[in-house]
């Protein structure tokens, strides 16, 4: 009997130091972010200033918005490679609308106001996303392949629309009533860039949806085991189409913010952004197999990537090294993920 | 399946008790944090004999077997193989020492063929890579031995659950081990297949192979065992050789009192709750119809048992009613309304619930907690406006855990930390929580202990008294003769016979096309 009690207390002790490891493991994105901020503040006095933090955050906004959509898709057990292209397509479409829509039949040129441009662009992104969703859920095309195809098509259409050129004038003209496009990228509310506010609002809405709504529960369930979810009455197809649609719409929003920040819209914007978004989700602790992941983690992941690469720029490290560092962080994150989900569950 | 592993020598006398102990656990303990799954257990495996392990759900049976076969490592105690202390760091090491295990939960790769699954990790190498022809030949031989008509090249995902279990058994047999551990190998098999398995077990023991057998089908286990060991809450509570035990002994030691599966409750049978008319489901592979022009009425408050062999079409019938499979013709009428065109979710909302047969594949979301699994099918009932109501959900979960008596450290525990039987109870609890009008349970007793089985049946009769219509399928005749008012026997997609509750076991088995001799 004494043998049994000693093993029990040994196990308890093991559990105690194990739980510190567990805490570090589960909060890894958070600790990584703290570490990044500390290291760069030491290396550069300019890093830890309010203004720099806000500027960096407005850069993070682009990746962050894409990562929200990516998280939804990854939770569903899928992947969306088309977000970067949808971002470019959205930017170019907005740019085209700002230049005026020529309607040949009526012989007039329409200049939609900025709010209409924003709405139409979001609808366009949602439609392209819905195409992904339909391909994956109804035609059973593997997500990787379907979104890879759409990635090429969307990029191609963006290039065709502009002949490869960039719209440099997005400011509109007062007499046409379509000024104000730069509001998204440049204005501030109480000193905080609009883009950061947009990110925060979307993240909070998304987080609430995931943790508190029925849809969120459906999403986690169908990502964890689609057959079981379906038999429990979860409309798995609808969930799938919805997440790809939302991802497309969020990509369009990111495209608008980026075009507004750059005051130009080009068809080659956002190349490889899909990979950054995936990286943010993975660093945030989501499992690529679906069913596990949180909005908070994903946001931390986006900030880790953004603050790291901006920090490297600030201390003057070459952009080649930035790529190497980002890659290392991603691999490390995936390694820790497999510790958390693989090792912990293995029996 | 070649030969015996040195059965030579030392059997000096025929007294089974005196036979040599080949593998023993001494004071073995296993803890998962605060959960003490095993608390210092001693366990002997005798050469050439069958040792059966009995115990309630969560007693620690699977845990002990996983330790003996190297899948997990104990937190205390030691394992003694042929008199020498050993420790295995993984199951391959144990396999190399002649110990293999058939897991309670299937561990097959669904995309691979039967042949590839059987030889996974132990491929037979020829001069030009893997010798597929030889593997195929051996697979065929194993299937013959198990009297099962399964083609070695079929992908496992196309097999029925019971057939998958046969493949799992064949894989363990193909290793030629001298100690074979079987953790509920028969939970999805019908009586005649169990009989074949027992013949194989007898052959093996005659060759000197030692067997550990776990089953919740107590009578069945009694026919094969030489020794019985009872585990309870992680302790070994009783041991006896075959000569000294009977069913009553096992039940008394396992759960303390005698359990009875009950009898048909007196209910006021109302209108037909579920009516099926001429339902036909063609075989996608183009064979006979899986469900063939079947008609059936179940009234409110009535309990109907569907008995049949593996492949009789029971699962297909229930899944068609639930909406997973689409019938090619026929009607499904729920409380007077035709529902064939409705989705699964709509059918659940109208009160038709299915507890599926395969809990890992169709029942549980492995990434979610015990509580989230329990509430999954009734999300609408605790959603107000846009958001789910935490408190309402919590009380639903607590009620379910109490109702189906899930043994768990709490609703936030990972579903994978539950014992097999407790996972099954979660699947049943999840569907009961939808407050159905008609519940269909496909082999609900798969993997649950007699106490829990009695508890589930008691719960179902209680609900039937309140007007719930119950349909359950089973491959165990004794379960037909419990709470069911009516017993329907299916054979090749049709109803081959219908009985009331006073029928004999032999008649039921004969109608199913099973040999009564079993
Ligand atoms: N990975 C794990 N983490 C935490 N607890 C676990 C884990 N695996 C098993 N347990 C606990 O150990 C106990 C014994 O489980 P075990 O699977 O051995 O039961 P069992 O006797 O095989 O039951 P059943 O008849 O239902 O299969 C249970 O209480 C279970 O919850
Ligand atoms: Mg078990």
């Amino acid at each position: 009997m004494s043998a049994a009690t000693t093993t029990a207390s040994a196990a308890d002790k093991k559990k105690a130091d194990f739980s510190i490891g567990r805490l570090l493991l589960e909060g890894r994105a958070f600790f990584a972010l703290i570490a990044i901020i500390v290291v760069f503040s030491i290396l550069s006095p300019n890093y830890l200033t309010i203004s720099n933090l806000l500027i960096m955050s407005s850069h993070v906004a682009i990746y962050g918005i894409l990562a929200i959509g990516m998280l939804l898709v990854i939770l569903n057990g899928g992947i969306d490679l088309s977000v970067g292209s949808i971002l470019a397509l959205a930017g170019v479409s907005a740019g085209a609308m700002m230049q005026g829509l020529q309607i040949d039949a009526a012989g007039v040129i329409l200049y939609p106001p900025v709010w209409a441009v924003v709405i139409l662009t979001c609808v366009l992104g949602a439609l392209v996303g819905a195409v992904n969703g339909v391909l994956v859920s109804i035609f059973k095309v593997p997500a990787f392949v379907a979104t890879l195809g759409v990635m090429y098509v969307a990029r191609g259409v963006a290039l065709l629309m502009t002949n490869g050129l960039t719209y440099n004038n997005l400011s509109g003209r007062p007499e046409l009533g379509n000024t104000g496009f730069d509001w998204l990228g440049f204005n501030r509310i109480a000193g905080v860039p609009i883009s950061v506010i947009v990110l925060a609002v979307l993240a909070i809405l998304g987080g609430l949806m995931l943790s508190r709504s029925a849809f969120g529960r459906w999403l986690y369930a169908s990502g964890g085991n689609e057959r079981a979810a379906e038999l429990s009455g979860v409309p798995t197809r609808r969930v799938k189409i919805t997440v790809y649609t939302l991802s497309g719409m969020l990509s369009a929003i990111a495209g608008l913010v980026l075009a507004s920040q750059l005051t130009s819209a080009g068809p080659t914007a956002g190349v490889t952004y899909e990979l950054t978004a995936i990286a943010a989700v993975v660093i945030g602790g989501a499992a690529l197999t679906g069913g596990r992941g949180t909005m908070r983690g994903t946001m931390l992941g986006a900030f880790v990537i953004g603050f790291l690469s901006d920090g490297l720029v600030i201390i003057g490290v070459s952009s080649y090294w930035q790529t190497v560092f980002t890659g290392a962080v991603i691999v490390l994150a995936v390694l820790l993920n497999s510790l958390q989900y693989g090792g912990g569950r293995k029996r | 399946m070649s030969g015996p592993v040195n059965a030579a020598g030392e059997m000096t006398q025929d007294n089974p008790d005196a036979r040599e102990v080949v593998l023993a656990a001494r004071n073995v303990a296993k803890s998962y944090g605060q959960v003490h799954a095993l608390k210092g257990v001693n366990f002997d495996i005798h050469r050439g004999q069958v040792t059966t392990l009995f115990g309630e759900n969560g007693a620690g049976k699977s845990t002990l077997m996983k330790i003996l076969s190297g899948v997990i490592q104990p937190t205390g105690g030691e394992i003694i193989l042929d008199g020498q202390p050993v420790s295995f760091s993984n199951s391959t090491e144990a396999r190399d020492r002649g110990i293999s295990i058939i897991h309670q939960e299937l561990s097959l790769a669904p995309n691979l063929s039967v042949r590839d699954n059987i030889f996974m990790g132990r491929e037979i190498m020829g001069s030009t890579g893997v010798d597929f022809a030889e593997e195929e030949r051996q697979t065929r031989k194993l299937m013959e031995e198990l009297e099962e008509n399964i083609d070695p090249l079929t992908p496992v995902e196309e097999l029925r659950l019971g057939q998958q279990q046969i493949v799992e058994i064949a894989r363990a047999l193909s290793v030629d081990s001298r100690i074979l551990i079987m953790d509920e190998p028969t939970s999805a098999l019908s009586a005649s297949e169990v009989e074949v398995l027992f013949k194989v077990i007898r052959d093996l023991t005659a060759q000197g192979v030692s067997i550990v057998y776990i089953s919740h089908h107590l009578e069945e286990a009694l026919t094969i065992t030489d020794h019985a060991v009872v585990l309870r809450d992680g302790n070994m509570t009783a041991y006896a050789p075959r000569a000294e035990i009977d069913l009553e002994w096992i039940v008394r030691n396992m759960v303390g009192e005698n359990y009875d599966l009950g009898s048909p409750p007196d209910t006021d049978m109302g209108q037909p709750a579920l009516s099926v008319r001429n339902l036909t489901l063609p075989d996608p592979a183009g064979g006979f119809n899986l469900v063939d022009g079947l008609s059936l009425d179940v009234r409110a408050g009535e309990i109907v048992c569907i008995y049949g062999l593996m492949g009789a079409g029971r699962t297909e019938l229930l899944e068609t009613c639930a909406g997973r499979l689409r019938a090619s013709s026929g009607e499904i009428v729920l409380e007077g309304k035709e529902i064939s065109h409705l989705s699964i979710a709509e059918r659940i909302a109208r009160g038709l619930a299915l507890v599926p047969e395969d809990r890992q594949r169709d029942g549980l979301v492995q990434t979610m907690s015990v509580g989230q699994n329990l509430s999954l099918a009734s999300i609408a009932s605790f959603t107000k406006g846009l958001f789910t109501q935490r408190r309402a959900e919590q009380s639903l979960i607590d009620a379910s855990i109490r109702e189906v008596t899930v043994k768990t450290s709490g609703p936030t525990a990972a579903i994978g930390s539950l014992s097999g039987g407790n996972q099954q109870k979660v699947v049943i609890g999840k569907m009961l929580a939808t407050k159905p009008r008609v519940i269909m349970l496909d082999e609900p007793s798969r993997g649950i202990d007699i106490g829990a089985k009695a508890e589930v049946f008691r719960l179902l009769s209680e609900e039937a008294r309140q007007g719930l219509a119950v349909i359950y399928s089973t491959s165990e005749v004794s379960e037909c003769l419990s709470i069911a008012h009516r017993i329907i026997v299916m054979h090749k997609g049709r109803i081959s016979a219908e009985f009331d509750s006073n029928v004999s076991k032999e008649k039921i088995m004969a109608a199913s096309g099973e040999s009564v001799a079993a």
Side-chain angles (χ1 to χ4, degrees):
Chain A
M1 192 58 234
S2 76
T5 35
T6 44
T7 44
S9 66
D12 284 350
K13 205 189 289 150
K14 199 169 155 213
K15 195 185 173 236
D17 41 15
F18 184 56
S19 66
I20 295 175
R22 192 104 219 139
L23 186 74
L24 280 172
L25 189 62
E26 267 158 18
R28 60 185 174 274
F30 180 69
F31 294 116
L33 186 61
I34 302 286
I36 286 169
I37 293 177
V38 168
V39 168
F40 285 112
S41 323
I42 295 168
L43 292 176
S44 157
N46 302 329
Y47 190 80
L48 194 66
T49 57
I50 301 277
S51 72
N52 184 50
L53 286 181
L54 287 174
I55 290 174
M56 292 196 300
S57 301
S58 70
H59 296 163
V60 171
I62 309 290
Y63 303 134
I65 294 171
L66 292 179
I68 294 174
M70 191 64 75
L71 171 67
L72 302 182
V73 174
I74 284 179
L75 279 178
N76 193 244
I79 193 98
D80 188 350
L81 298 178
S82 65
V83 294
S85 300
I86 298 180
L87 174 145
L89 181 63
V92 167
S93 308
M97 285 187 259
M98 294 304 293
Q99 314 305 313
L101 290 171
Q102 196 158 356
I103 301 189
D104 286 331
V108 293
I109 298 181
L110 279 182
Y111 291 94
V114 169
W115 60 264
V117 170
V118 168
I119 289 175
L120 286 172
T121 310
C122 288
V123 169
L124 175 74
L127 281 177
V128 181
V131 170
N132 280 328
V134 168
L135 284 175
V136 175
S137 76
I138 295 178
F139 295 100
K140 309 270 180 247
V141 183
F144 192 94
V145 181
T147 60
L148 185 72
V150 170
M151 165 178 130
Y152 278 111
V153 172
R155 179 74 64 191
V157 171
L159 286 162
L160 279 173
M161 279 173 69
T162 62
N163 243 331
L165 302 176
T166 298
Y167 292 113
N168 285 318
N169 179 7
L170 300 177
S171 44
R173 272 178 295 170
E175 66 267 31
L176 297 172
N178 64 352
T179 53
F181 189 77
D182 49 4
W183 182 81
L184 263 178
F186 280 97
N187 270 36
R188 295 179 173 231
I189 292 178
V192 183
I194 300 289
S195 55
V196 177
I197 293 174
V198 169
L199 173 67
V201 168
L202 290 173
I204 289 169
L205 287 179
L208 278 175
M209 181 180 89
L210 286 183
S211 61
R212 299 295 308 281
S213 78
F215 182 84
R217 201 61 75 78
W218 290 348
L219 177 52
Y220 279 107
S222 52
N225 183 350
E226 191 153 33
R227 285 177 69 118
E230 191 185 3
L231 275 177
S232 303
V234 173
T236 48
R237 267 192 199 182
R238 205 164 88 209
V239 170
K240 202 165 248 171
I241 296 181
T242 308
V243 291
Y244 284 96
T245 306
L246 286 175
S247 176
M249 194 167 91
L250 288 161
S251 310
I253 295 176
L256 288 168
V257 173
L258 184 67
S260 174
Q261 281 180 358
L262 300 174
T263 62
S264 72
T268 53
V271 176
T272 74
Y273 279 23
E274 59 279 344
L275 301 180
T276 316
I278 295 170
V281 175
V282 170
I283 292 173
L288 284 174
T289 44
R292 298 176 199 270
T294 59
M295 185 59 74
R296 197 179 37 190
T298 297
M299 285 302 103
L300 285 169
F303 276 90
V304 164
I305 291 188
F307 279 23
L308 176 69
S309 57
D310 281 7
L312 292 169
V313 172
I314 289 173
I315 62 168
V317 171
S318 91
S319 69
Y320 303 149
W321 274 112
Q322 288 175 37
T323 318
V324 172
F325 274 113
T326 314
V329 169
I330 293 170
V331 172
L332 195 69
V334 177
L335 226 120
L336 293 173
N337 276 1
S338 62
L339 260 186
Q340 184 177 358
Y341 299 133
R345 267 175 58 86
K346 201 168 160 196
R347 278 173 288 140
Chain B
M1 280 310 304
S2 80
V5 192
N6 80 330
E10 58 265 333
M11 270 173 249
T12 46
Q13 33 182 306
D14 267 13
N15 178 2
D17 279 358
R19 290 226 200 159
E20 188 189 349
V21 172
V22 285
L23 181 65
R26 289 283 162 266
N27 223 349
V28 162
K30 176 74 184 174
S31 309
Y32 295 98
Q34 298 301 325
V35 182
H36 304 297
L38 290 175
K39 306 169 185 162
V41 173
N42 294 316
F43 182 70
D44 291 341
I45 301 176
H46 302 259
R47 163 158 306 157
Q49 297 194 325
V50 181
T51 308
T52 308
L53 196 51
F54 296 101
E56 291 176 275
N57 294 133
K61 304 181 296 296
S62 300
T63 307
L64 180 59
M65 293 306 113
K66 283 183 200 158
I67 288 173
L68 290 179
S69 58
V71 180
I72 55 176
Q73 282 66 50
T75 44
E78 58 181 356
I79 303 171
I80 295 168
L81 180 64
D82 297 324
Q84 301 293 321
V86 286
S87 71
F88 304 123
S89 46
N90 55 49
S91 57
T92 320
E93 270 181 44
R95 198 174 68 195
D96 293 343
R97 303 290 299 265
I99 304 170
S100 61
I101 181 166
I102 299 171
H103 284 287
Q104 180 174 15
E105 307 297 348
L106 298 174
S107 55
L108 302 170
N111 54 332
L112 296 183
S113 68
V114 171
R115 175 197 70 195
D116 294 349
N117 266 288
I118 288 181
F119 290 97
M120 200 189 322
R122 305 178 296 111
E123 287 76 9
I124 301 176
M125 299 308 286
S127 49
T128 54
V130 179
D131 186 350
F132 287 118
E134 173 61 17
E135 287 190 4
E136 190 173 333
R137 196 187 60 77
Q138 293 195 16
T139 307
R140 265 185 222 289
K141 194 150 154 277
L142 284 166
M143 289 303 151
E144 252 161 52
E145 200 172 332
L146 291 165
E147 297 179 23
E148 204 59 39
N149 185 15
I150 301 174
D151 182 52
L153 298 181
T154 325
V156 159
E157 62 197 342
E158 285 173 19
L159 298 179
R160 277 183 293 274
L161 188 62
Q163 292 179 314
Q164 295 188 9
Q165 208 160 34
I166 296 276
V167 175
E168 189 90 32
I169 293 171
R171 178 163 72 183
L173 291 179
S174 74
V175 184
D176 279 341
S177 36
R178 56 202 194 106
I179 298 167
L180 181 53
I181 296 171
M182 303 181 164
D183 194 350
E184 298 196 36
T186 61
S187 60
L189 301 187
S190 58
S192 56
E193 284 146 348
V194 172
E195 203 45 47
V196 174
L197 177 67
F198 282 6
K199 210 166 78 201
V200 173
I201 291 182
R202 286 193 197 98
D203 285 350
L204 287 173
T205 50
Q207 293 166 9
V209 178
S210 317
I211 309 274
V212 185
Y213 189 81
I214 298 179
S215 176
H216 287 295
H217 297 176
L218 307 182
E219 287 116 328
E220 177 192 293
L222 269 181
T223 65
I224 190 85
T225 196
D226 296 308
H227 305 268
V229 173
V230 180
L231 275 187
R232 195 167 176 182
D233 277 332
N235 292 305
M236 190 186 115
T237 51
Y239 161 81
R242 173 69 184 94
E244 294 168 22
I245 58 172
D246 55 14
L247 197 60
E248 197 267 321
W249 180 91
I250 302 171
V251 175
R252 194 180 59 228
N253 281 289
M254 244 176 90
V255 284
E257 38 186 311
N258 204 343
Y259 272 97
D260 169 18
L261 288 184
S263 52
D266 286 327
T267 61
D268 314 321
M269 287 194 209
Q271 296 295 311
L274 182 72
S275 303
V276 172
R277 291 272 156 274
N278 287 321
L279 197 71
T280 298
L281 180 76
D283 184 350
F288 294 102
N289 289 336
L290 296 172
V291 178
D292 194 7
L294 188 143
S295 299
L296 173 68
D297 279 300
V298 183
R299 291 191 281 164
E302 188 179 24
I303 304 178
V304 173
C305 166
I306 304 182
Y307 180 79
L309 296 187
M310 198 162 89
R314 292 168 300 166
T315 298
E316 288 78 5
L317 170 65
L318 298 182
E319 289 195 344
T320 312
C321 291
R324 242 288 288 285
L325 302 173
R326 292 273 161 191
S328 62
S329 65
E331 297 175 17
I332 305 166
V333 179
L334 179 68
E335 298 191 316
K337 294 203 187 62
E338 161 67 27
I339 56 163
S340 311
H341 58 283
L342 297 184
S343 69
I344 298 176
E346 287 163 328
R347 293 182 205 205
I348 292 176
R350 295 203 185 181
L352 179 63
L354 169 71
V355 174
E357 178 182 26
D358 186 339
R359 60 175 170 262
Q360 293 303 324
R361 197 179 55 174
D362 299 328
L364 301 169
V365 179
Q366 287 79 3
T367 50
M368 293 175 113
S369 67
V370 172
Q372 288 174 328
N373 267 290
L374 276 167
S375 67
L376 180 60
S378 8
I379 295 177
S381 75
F382 55 86
T383 304
K384 277 219 186 75
L386 284 176
F387 294 121
T388 55
Q389 307 286 307
R390 287 227 179 101
R391 203 166 299 152
E393 176 177 13
Q394 200 54 49
S395 66
L396 181 135
I397 292 171
D398 291 343
S400 288
I401 288 182
R402 243 179 295 118
E403 199 169 43
V404 289
T405 59
V406 181
K407 186 181 168 196
T408 170
S409 54
T412 53
I415 193 77
S417 73
L418 261 52
S419 77
N422 282 298
Q423 295 184 11
Q424 179 70 15
K425 292 186 213 165
V426 169
V427 183
I428 297 175
K430 170 178 75 174
M431 293 325 286
L432 278 177
T434 64
K435 305 253 177 314
R437 313 280 304 139
V438 178
I439 189 158
M440 306 181 286
L441 306 102
D442 198 359
E443 299 269 3
S445 63
R446 204 166 91 81
I448 63 179
D449 66 46
I450 39 165
K453 198 186 293 184
E455 191 60 29
V456 167
F457 278 13
R458 194 194 54 70
L459 199 73
L460 291 176
S461 7
E462 193 54 46
E463 299 276 336
R465 258 187 220 110
Q466 325 258 333
L468 179 71
V470 178
I471 307 168
Y472 68 94
S473 79
T474 177
S475 0
E476 236 196 311
V477 192
S478 60
E479 284 178 21
C480 292
L481 300 172
S482 54
I483 55 168
H485 297 111
R486 194 144 59 96
I487 296 147
I488 282 172
V489 183
M490 271 185 82
H491 183 61
K492 294 198 173 147
R494 298 178 187 204
I495 294 181
S496 63
E498 198 170 325
F499 302 107
D500 63 14
S501 55
N502 299 320
V503 68
S504 70
K505 286 187 181 183
E506 288 71 25
K507 275 192 176 162
I508 299 178
M509 289 170 73
S512 73
E514 200 161 14
S515 56
V516 185

